[in-house]
């Protein structure tokens, strides 16, 4: 049986993720108290449901502290458990709540909306540290659904190495474990013929391949990830997100992510995200 637990901040897209899983054939339960996770999962397993997804978040705050132990107990019963945590920048969440005019789950007469969001971050910090994280600040609903579909295809027995490109002018992704800045390298944006292209297009690849500093930077990043990856594996990490940033997130960072993914795909489980191209 496969169990996917969706958690994260209110307004970060948990409902979209849960719907994507339901559309993929998962039996879905929203807003489940953490204390009931093991009981409900074992019941559904006995009812011959091979794929189950549940949402547990700050609405279950009285029993949230039980979630890590619940997940550990389920894994010992040979259930394939994945934990997916969705988050977003505070200003993005404030904007989303303003647009939908919904109340934050932690709202009261004493706290502002940003204060509620910060309190929720603190409440979910332990859960976040156990999970594969997705920053949905700049993602469309369709992109999030695609990323969730990629997530459910992972092999839980090995570490997943996720390479993500992004543009610094849109902010650093919250889900990054390692961040590399390639803005010092030649920018194809200033070449008229290359500007409308991306780092996946042949002319941009040829332009960057021909630069000595680009190749030096690639080798330094490749070597760093190669050297430290075994440490993350020994630490029983399931996911490692390597973010590569340039100014706009369309040329240099995309080129580096594609090139790194090709190198590491031979011996590792690799996923690729291009935030500014996918959003």
């Amino acid at each position: 049986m496969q169990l996917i637990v969706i958690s994260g901040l209110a307004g970060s897209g948990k409902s979209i993720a849960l719907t994507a899983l339901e559309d993929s054939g998962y039996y879905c339960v929203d807003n489940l108290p953490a204390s009931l996770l093991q009981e409900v999962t074992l019941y559904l397993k006995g009812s011959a449901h091979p794929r189950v997804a549940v949402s547990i978040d700050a609405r279950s705050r009285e029993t949230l502290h039980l979630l890590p132990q619940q997940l550990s107990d389920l894994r010992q019963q040979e259930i394939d458990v994945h934990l997916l945590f969705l988050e977003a920048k505070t200003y993005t969440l404030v904007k989303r709540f303003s647009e939908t005019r919904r109340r934050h789950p932690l709202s009261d007469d004493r706290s502002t909306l940003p204060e509620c969001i910060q309190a929720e971050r603190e409440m979910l910090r332990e859960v976040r540290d156990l999970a594969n994280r997705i920053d949905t600040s700049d993602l469309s609903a369709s992109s999030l659904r695609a990323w969730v579909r990629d997530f459910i295809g992972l092999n839980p027995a090995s570490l997943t190495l996720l390479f993500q490109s992004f543009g610094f002018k849109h902010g650093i992704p919250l889900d990054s474990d390692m961040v590399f800045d390639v803005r010092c390298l030649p920018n194809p944006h200033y070449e008229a013929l290359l500007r409308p292209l991306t780092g996946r297009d042949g002319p941009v690849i040829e332009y960057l391949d021909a630069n000595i500093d680009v190749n030096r930077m690639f080798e330094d990043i490749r070597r760093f990830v190669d050297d430290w990856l075994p440490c993350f594996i020994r630490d029983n990490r399931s996911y490692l997100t390597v973010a590569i940033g340039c100014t706009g997130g369309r040329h240099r960072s995309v080129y580096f992510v594609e090139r790194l993914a090709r190198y590491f795909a031979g011996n590792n489980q690799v996923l690729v995200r291009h935030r500014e191209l996918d959003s």
Side-chain angles (χ1 to χ4, degrees):
M1 177 185 179
Q2 184 182 65
L3 170 68
I4 295 182
V5 178
I6 303 287
S7 189
L9 303 178
S12 62
K14 297 189 301 297
S15 296
I16 294 173
L18 203 62
T19 300
L21 292 171
E22 188 171 33
D23 292 343
S24 298
Y26 284 75
Y27 185 97
C28 294
V29 181
D30 189 17
N31 194 19
L32 181 71
S35 58
L36 298 179
L37 177 61
Q38 188 168 354
E39 179 181 348
V40 169
T41 301
L42 294 179
Y43 170 78
L44 292 173
K45 181 181 181 183
S47 302
H49 289 285
R51 299 193 296 174
V52 174
V54 302
S55 173
I56 298 176
D57 51 45
R59 292 172 292 180
S60 176
R61 53 186 175 273
E62 293 82 4
T63 58
L64 199 59
H65 65 283
L66 300 174
L67 183 57
Q69 187 60 50
Q70 293 269 4
L71 296 174
S72 177
D73 291 345
L74 288 170
R75 290 190 176 102
Q76 291 178 10
Q77 299 182 59
E78 298 184 349
I79 292 176
D80 174 16
V81 180
H82 295 264
L83 178 57
L84 182 61
F85 189 92
L86 306 185
E87 56 190 334
K89 300 179 179 67
T90 297
Y91 73 85
T92 301
L93 296 174
V94 169
K95 180 181 178 183
R96 290 174 182 173
F97 273 101
S98 176
E99 290 172 347
T100 61
R101 299 185 180 181
R102 298 190 62 188
R103 285 173 59 87
H104 190 278
L106 302 184
S107 64
D108 53 35
D109 296 331
R110 300 179 302 276
S111 303
T112 65
L113 179 54
E115 289 172 344
C116 291
I117 294 170
Q118 183 57 37
E120 186 181 26
R121 287 191 197 278
E122 295 299 325
M123 185 181 300
L124 294 170
R125 186 176 300 278
E126 185 177 3
V127 177
R128 179 187 186 275
D129 291 342
L130 297 173
N132 180 40
R133 306 183 300 274
I134 296 180
D135 176 4
T136 69
S137 302
D138 301 294
L139 288 184
S140 64
S142 60
S143 295
L144 177 56
R145 284 191 286 267
W147 287 20
V148 169
R149 285 193 292 269
D150 286 341
F151 174 77
I152 63 179
L154 301 179
N155 175 9
S158 60
L159 178 142
T160 298
L161 190 54
L162 193 154
F163 292 102
Q164 178 172 193
S165 67
F166 71 95
F168 273 97
K169 69 179 183 179
H170 301 297
I172 298 174
L174 296 174
D175 50 358
S176 307
D177 295 304
M178 298 180 181
V179 178
F180 296 96
D181 183 351
V182 298
R183 286 176 293 181
C184 63
L185 300 173
N187 191 350
H189 175 80
Y190 295 113
E191 301 292 331
L193 295 178
L194 303 180
R195 183 176 302 170
L197 305 178
T198 75
R200 292 186 291 198
D201 293 315
V204 175
I205 294 172
E206 292 175 8
Y207 173 83
L208 292 171
D209 276 347
N211 186 274
I212 294 176
D213 288 338
V214 168
N215 288 288
R216 286 178 56 211
M217 178 76 83
F218 172 80
E219 284 301 317
D220 285 344
I221 296 174
R222 179 203 61 75
R223 188 182 304 110
F224 185 90
V225 176
D226 239 346
D227 287 347
W228 290 102
L229 186 56
C231 294
F232 286 94
I233 294 174
R234 287 197 298 270
D235 193 41
N236 294 316
R237 289 284 297 270
S238 298
Y239 316 96
L240 180 67
T241 299
V242 179
I244 312 291
C246 61
T247 305
R250 299 185 57 83
H251 295 104
R252 293 164 293 181
S253 59
V254 171
Y255 164 89
F256 272 83
V257 160
E258 293 286 339
R259 189 172 171 184
L260 287 164
R262 286 195 300 273
Y263 173 84
F264 284 96
N267 300 309
N268 301 274
Q269 185 168 240
V270 171
L271 284 179
V272 169
R273 294 178 186 160
H274 298 300
R275 190 182 71 181
E276 317 310 348
L277 302 186
D278 296 338
S279 60

